[in-house]
Amino acid sequence: MATIADVAQHAGVSRSTVSHALSGKRPISLATRERINEAIIALKFTPNAGAKALATSKSSIMGLVISITPEEFAPATMQYVLVVSETARSLGYDVLMVTEVDGAEGITRVTDSNLVDGVLVLDVKRHDDRAVSILGARQPGVLMGYAEGNESLDSVDLDFAAAGRLLVRHLFDYGHREVIFITFPEELFAQSVGFAWRFRDAAVDTAAELGVSLNIVYGGTNPVRRYQGVEEALDRHPTATALLVHNEGVLVDLPMLLAQRRLSVPRDLSVVSVFSEQFGSMFSLPYTAIEASPKPVATRAVQLLAARIADRERPVVSELLEPVLIDRGSSRAI
Amino acid sequence: MATIADVAQHAGVSRSTVSHALSGKRPISLATRERINEAIIALKFTPNAGAKALATSKSSIMGLVISITPEEFAPATMQYVLVVSETARSLGYDVLMVTEVDGAEGITRVTDSNLVDGVLVLDVKRHDDRAVSILGARQPGVLMGYAEGNESLDSVDLDFAAAGRLLVRHLFDYGHREVIFITFPEELFAQSVGFAWRFRDAAVDTAAELGVSLNIVYGGTNPVRRYQGVEEALDRHPTATALLVHNEGVLVDLPMLLAQRRLSVPRDLSVVSVFSEQFGSMFSLPYTAIEASPKPVATRAVQLLAARIADRERPVVSELLEPVLIDRGSSRAI
DNA sequence: CTGAAAGCGCTTACAG
DNA sequence: CTGAAAGCGCTTACAG
């Protein structure tokens, strides 16, 4: 493979001139620039990533930390992964997957070895040891989610608290006073996964304020129990007029389940939820919902990390994207 | 950050001795080994990835090439990604995502720069320019799928032809003579994505041999058209006794669709399919199916790539995993 | 606008 | 069993 020395020789200049032509870090005369470009093409030169990383202490790689727990729903995650990868590429970065079960250890591994310039964390928990791990690393990190007590880390997420408030208020405005709230398995709350507890707590508080009776149902961790859980909830609360669903797994089954019970939406039951447009269209979900916004969240997270890598001194930001309600007509006034 | 020189100094040995202690490439006396280990711990030494890559021309990174087309179904892909990452880690490799729209270009980018030691390709097409791209690279690649005319590349895949034969034969043995075969959108066939055409062609041939009337339906590219397509097929072939489904998107909707038509499985209609156990349990699919085997395929692909990286001269292998039918009772004799 | 040279942090023949 | 030194392919002060 051609090295920068080969290019320099071919172009009749020094290696440093080639390097500067490549980086644009100092002015190069038109004539030499052209000869260098010719040489690069003739020799099919591509800079060696390892050498560059060694010389600059920058790998141009972002680590993406994913901790897949069995409770979580893989399809939703893929969207984040893809958008992270594309956005990173557009900013000149590659993306390395960090999927070890112990995410904190994985972070230490890729940062200590200088493999990555920074780290993105998905599915952040309330007290997340991965945040701690980042704080101990030389490289910066950005949370896609929200961790308490880590205000020193950049983060971006959908404002799940606002989402909870907005949906409960939406149902309240339509006159609903008894609502079944289906959320994630209790395991996710035990781990304090941000999107779960922030939504739940806000929904519960708002319901209490407005005088809405909100019956919480924690989703089952397997399909069968998930399905049964919803059925039981419907049996137990026959007078409930609306379903508030924050659980992708339940959503996939819901149209079928309601059809089998001969429940028409929104005639017999209003349904509102949280999911991404892409997810909804994948499973033909006909429900009014807060847009889960994987794309803006992932895009923004990558931008924040790139900005942080470029400037370690810039002020820390913690962005919460405002929830947007997409009305698909699955709720009605009663 | 501590370097190998710091460790050497701390331990009172030379850098080469530390390096050899690390790699185990030559015997080190117990005493020095212990002093070195002490130093490593005391200084929290981790080898610099870039320096190592430069010195050895090995990055210990595998590239994973994913080309997500809108026609494809993301949830199924995530399983491959995760298993690839975990298996790679267990063999000492990290995984870099290569998601550019032009996969061939992405491959050239990460191989020419020596960023990766090899490349794994998902969703291989019959004539895949990514295979060509790999053949032109210094690093080896393994296809998770099957590309014609690239017998010089290692590959591994489920034997989709055998799967097609097995399912048609299964229905034939149960006495079915009129079957609706729902497969992927025609776009996938235009691109000649391996799992689509190999399954279809085998199913069609076997049906012809056995005298089974096989009515092909190409799935719609969006949920609505997908759903309608199935409905139309059922309308058009009221005397069909079985459904052969090779399309994850359709499968997700199927229980609902059949319930709405008051069709009981297998009483009114036998249904057989292809999907992974994990996918099936995610969507509570009650259908007898060939196990799609993302785990063995992905695991094997990573192993093959690691073996190929270690020995460029080993014989090329093209492995087809034997399909396994998991009987969930959704087909019956008629 | 350009070059010579040191340095990034490893590995590995070579020598003992 | 161990060390001195060259080399991997870049970048970047320093000098002109």
Side-chain angles (χ1 to χ4, degrees), chain A residues 11 16 29 31 34 62 111-112 114 125 133 136 149 151 154 156 165 171 175 181 185 196 207 244 257 283 290 309 311:
Chain A
S16 62
S29 76
E34 277 174 353
M62 291 179 174
T111 52
D112 278 2
N114 245 303
K125 294 161 189 57
S133 198
E151 285 73 17
D154 297 307
V156 55
R165 272 181 245 120
L171 292 175
F181 171 31
L244 167 57
L257 189 155
F283 300 109
I290 299 272
I309 290 169
D311 176 10

Side-chain angles (χ1 to χ4, degrees), chain B residues 51-265:
Chain B
K52 193 174 213 166
L54 178 58
T56 59
S57 295
K58 293 248 169 282
S59 65
S60 293
I61 297 177
M62 291 178 175
L64 176 60
V65 186
I66 307 177
S67 52
I68 300 291
T69 69
E71 291 84 35
E72 291 181 51
F73 201 71
T77 303
M78 193 67 193
Q79 301 180 48
Y80 289 91
V81 174
L82 254 23
V83 175
V84 162
S85 177
E86 280 160 23
T87 310
R89 279 302 309 140
S90 76
L91 296 176
Y93 289 91
D94 270 295
V95 174
L96 193 87
M97 312 253 318
V98 180
T99 61
E100 13 263 283
V101 178
D102 185 344
E105 202 174 79
I107 290 172
T108 305
R109 186 175 64 77
V110 296
T111 52
D112 278 2
S113 63
N114 245 304
L115 225 194
V116 302
D117 294 342
V119 142
L120 253 10
V121 181
L122 219 42
D123 294 332
V124 177
K125 295 161 189 59
R126 192 172 203 152
H127 301 290
D128 203 309
D129 58 345
R130 296 173 301 178
V132 178
S133 199
I134 292 173
L135 262 3
R138 274 190 314 289
Q139 296 90 333
V142 170
L143 309 179
M144 301 170 70
Y146 179 85
E148 269 178 15
N150 289 298
E151 284 73 17
S152 43
L153 282 182
D154 296 307
S155 66
V156 56
D157 201 4
L158 177 66
D159 189 341
F160 280 99
R165 272 180 244 121
L166 201 150
L167 286 179
V168 171
R169 159 72 66 177
H170 170 87
L171 292 175
F172 173 82
D173 287 346
Y174 270 177
H176 297 273
R177 294 297 178 265
E178 187 179 358
V179 175
I180 298 174
F181 170 32
I182 304 171
T183 180
F184 291 93
E186 295 194 278
E187 282 82 344
L188 280 197
F189 289 91
Q191 303 179 272
S192 288
V193 174
F195 58 80
W197 67 264
R198 289 191 290 137
F199 185 95
R200 181 196 59 181
D201 291 0
V204 167
D205 289 352
T206 307
E209 277 167 30
L210 299 175
V212 170
S213 157
L214 194 70
N215 304 285
I216 303 191
V217 179
Y218 293 92
T221 51
N222 67 61
V224 174
R225 293 189 47 202
R226 212 158 57 200
Y227 201 94
Q228 287 173 347
V230 179
E231 297 244 65
E232 284 166 22
L234 290 171
D235 290 340
R236 211 164 38 235
H237 305 286
T239 53
T241 56
L243 235 47
L244 168 58
V245 186
H246 186 209
N247 181 322
E248 276 89 354
V250 166
L251 282 169
V252 170
D253 292 335
L254 200 59
M256 168 86 172
L257 188 155
L258 296 178
Q260 285 186 332
R261 293 178 76 105
R262 308 268 183 284
L263 289 173
S264 167
V265 174

Side-chain angles (χ1 to χ4, degrees), chain A residues 71 160 180-189 193-201 203-204 214-221 225-226 229-230 233 243-251 272-274:
Chain A
E71 290 86 35
F160 280 98
I180 299 174
F181 171 31
I182 303 170
T183 180
F184 291 92
E186 293 194 278
E187 282 83 344
L188 281 196
F189 290 91
V193 174
F195 58 80
W197 67 262
R198 288 191 290 137
F199 185 96
R200 181 195 61 181
D201 291 0
V204 167
L214 194 70
N215 304 284
I216 304 192
V217 179
Y218 293 92
T221 52
R225 293 189 47 201
R226 212 158 57 200
V230 179
L243 234 47
L244 167 57
V245 185
H246 186 209
N247 182 321
E248 276 88 354
V250 166
L251 282 170
V272 295
S273 183
V274 185

Side-chain angles (χ1 to χ4, degrees), chain A residues 1 49 73 78 81 85 89 94-97 99 109 113 115 138 223 226 252 255-256 281-284, chain B residues 1 46 49 73 78 81-82 85 89 94-97 99 109 113 138 223 226 252 255-256 281-284:
Chain A
M1 206 54 195
F73 200 71
M78 193 68 195
V81 174
S85 177
R89 279 303 308 141
D94 270 294
V95 174
L96 193 88
M97 313 252 319
T99 60
R109 184 174 64 79
S113 62
L115 226 194
R138 276 191 313 288
R226 212 158 57 200
V252 170
M256 168 85 173
S281 93
M282 202 168 273
F283 300 109
S284 316
Chain B
M1 204 56 195
T46 309
F73 201 71
M78 193 67 193
V81 174
L82 254 23
S85 177
R89 279 302 309 140
D94 270 295
V95 174
L96 193 87
M97 312 253 318
T99 61
R109 186 175 64 77
S113 63
R138 274 190 314 289
R226 212 158 57 200
V252 170
M256 168 86 172
S281 95
M282 202 170 272
F283 301 108
S284 316

